[in-house]
Amino acid sequence: MSTATTVSDTTAPASPEAEIAASRERIDSLDAEIIALVRERMAVSAAIQEARIAGGGRRVHLSREMEILARFRAELGGHGTTLAMTLLELSRGRV
């Protein structure tokens, strides 16, 4: 005859307020990461533009931008296009 032991869960569920606070902290952390990545993207884009201009090319490569817009739209829908346009404007300025 075997006896089964049960382990009771002594962890109380978090209150909604605590869950919200923890989730907001995570969002703030994600926002900081996103901002850092956008800044990095801007710097890389500036380097590309400088190299393109130094080589006698144009500052903006429209077919490349269309690829970026399509990728964001495919992954995020219509709002992805808006996000991509914002990133492009931050990275290269208005066309």
Side-chain angles (χ1 to χ4, degrees), residues 6-25:
T6 59
V7 177
S8 63
D9 186 2
T10 58
T11 306
S15 70
E17 293 82 11
E19 288 183 35
I20 290 168
S23 294
R24 285 183 175 160
E25 284 181 25

Side-chain angles (χ1 to χ4, degrees), residues 25-87:
E25 284 181 25
R26 180 65 180 139
I27 285 174
D28 291 345
S29 175
L30 290 168
D31 286 346
E33 290 178 48
I34 290 167
I35 290 166
L37 289 170
V38 169
R39 286 187 175 138
E40 181 179 354
R41 187 189 197 289
M42 291 168 66
V44 171
S45 180
I48 291 169
Q49 289 177 52
E50 289 173 15
R52 191 178 297 122
I53 291 168
R58 298 174 61 179
R59 181 175 66 89
V60 177
H61 192 255
L62 294 178
S63 64
R64 172 67 177 148
E65 290 194 2
M66 295 306 293
E67 292 173 12
I68 293 166
L69 290 169
R71 183 172 56 242
F72 273 72
R73 182 175 45 253
E75 292 293 326
L76 302 171
H79 292 295
T81 303
T82 304
L83 177 58
M85 283 301 301
T86 300
L87 287 171

